[in-house]
Amino acid sequence: MNQMTKSSNPVGAVADRPHAPEAADAVQQKRPGGRELWLALPWLAPALILIVGVVFFPAGVMFFNSTRDISLSGLDKGSVGFDNYAAVFSFPAFWPIMGRTIIWVVSVVAITVVLSLGLAQILNKAFPGRQLVRLAVIIPWAASVVMTTMVFYYGLEPYFGVINKFLVDIGFVDTPEGYGWTRNPATAFAWSIVIAIFVSLPFTTYTLLAGLQSVPGDALEAAKMDGAGPVRTYWSIIFPQLRGALSVAVLINIINVFNSLPILKVMTGSIPGYDADTVMTMIFKYIELQKKVDVASALSVVAFLIVIVIVAAYVKIVKPMKEV
């Protein structure tokens, strides 16, 4: 009897083995094939058309123009190959402009994130008038960037600027007419960074605030019961939960700040030379001052590729959508 039982087990095991490939086949059948993709295409078509029309088509036209000889009147005189790219990289101020662009992006994004982390933490607390404070924080984001920059620009004027007058009153500047903040490339660029941070704070703060409100209250209560202090609780419980919100906020800020033109155009547009320029303002100068649309297109392609590489590396390393 025991022998029959023992001999029946291998038979049953062998009999059960063919079911494993059948299960694998069932899993493979669930994967979307060509037919499923074609059935989904009508639903994806509007989004695909929008992506092609807004992203790929302009990028293709931009690359095409970067290889052409375009006159002042817009006449296409034919192909010049990569001569326009050679003109971009051989421009004496190109590498200083690239370095200034890196300083511009890194400083604005880093300081904005640090300030937003603190501001979001404050706005997440319950205090009288919290709704009004939250509304006040979003105003710089809702207002026009050009208008906000103009307020700072005229506020820094030597003779009637209220910001300049305040700096004189606190002793930061000796005389009202002693320094022209918007006349010097270094100070105009520094104030542009301040304005960019001011404009970027609302979006970043609200993104992090949404992340803070998604932190489980049970985890905070458990940390408090275990005797963890506020600092330990923040870095061990709260900050890891902000990974998704923080990663997305940084990524969007990198793209927006890199492509930002209005702030620098208003603050440094009247300064001669290229000592306060970034890639975006240099593209504008190629078009407006030098009337070189083809060279401007080549620089635009370079800037576009730089952004794509930065975003790809960031997504690969940080993995913004990865669960905590």
Side-chain angles (χ1 to χ4, degrees), residues 192-271:
S192 298
I193 292 176
V194 173
I195 299 170
I197 294 170
F198 179 75
V199 172
S200 303
L201 274 176
F203 166 77
T204 311
T205 299
Y206 268 81
T207 303
L208 297 178
L209 181 60
L212 284 174
Q213 292 179 342
S214 66
V215 176
D218 296 341
L220 299 178
E221 188 66 25
K224 185 177 181 180
M225 294 294 294
D226 290 340
V231 177
R232 179 66 181 275
T233 301
Y234 182 82
W235 290 111
S236 300
I237 305 297
I238 298 177
F239 190 77
Q241 296 291 330
L242 292 177
R243 173 193 173 89
L246 183 61
S247 301
V248 173
V250 171
L251 179 60
I252 294 177
N253 272 314
I254 289 174
I255 298 173
N256 287 340
V257 174
F258 187 93
N259 293 316
S260 178
L261 174 64
I263 296 174
L264 289 166
K265 179 65 176 65
V266 173
M267 293 297 295
T268 67
S270 61
I271 299 177

Side-chain angles (χ1 to χ4, degrees), residues 95-117:
W95 294 111
I97 288 173
M98 288 300 302
R100 201 173 298 111
T101 303
I102 295 174
I103 295 173
W104 162 257
V105 174
V106 172
S107 57
V108 172
V109 174
I111 298 175
T112 297
V113 168
V114 172
L115 294 179
S116 296
L117 283 170

Side-chain angles (χ1 to χ4, degrees), residues 157-172:
E157 283 293 318
Y159 296 100
F160 55 83
V162 292
I163 300 177
N164 191 67
K165 180 67 167 58
F166 171 75
L167 295 176
V168 173
D169 292 341
I170 63 175
F172 192 80

Side-chain angles (χ1 to χ4, degrees), residues 170-181:
I170 63 175
F172 192 80
V173 180
D174 296 333
T175 58
E177 67 279 1
Y179 208 90
W181 299 104

Side-chain angles (χ1 to χ4, degrees), residues 311-324:
V311 171
Y314 182 85
V315 172
K316 180 68 175 178
I317 296 172
V318 179
K319 296 181 176 60
M321 297 296 105
K322 183 180 178 180
E323 294 292 336
V324 178

Side-chain angles (χ1 to χ4, degrees), residues 262-320:
I263 296 174
L264 289 166
K265 179 65 176 65
V266 173
M267 293 297 295
T268 67
S270 61
I271 299 177
Y274 306 99
D275 293 335
D277 282 310
T278 62
V279 171
M280 289 299 115
T281 57
M282 193 59 216
I283 293 173
F284 188 84
K285 284 186 175 181
Y286 272 130
I287 299 173
E288 185 184 49
L289 301 180
Q290 302 184 24
K291 310 299 182 183
K292 296 180 178 179
V293 179
D294 44 13
V295 180
S297 298
L299 184 56
S300 299
V301 172
V302 173
F304 178 75
L305 294 177
I306 291 173
V307 172
I308 291 298
V309 170
I310 292 174
V311 171
Y314 182 85
V315 172
K316 180 68 175 178
I317 296 172
V318 179
K319 296 181 176 60

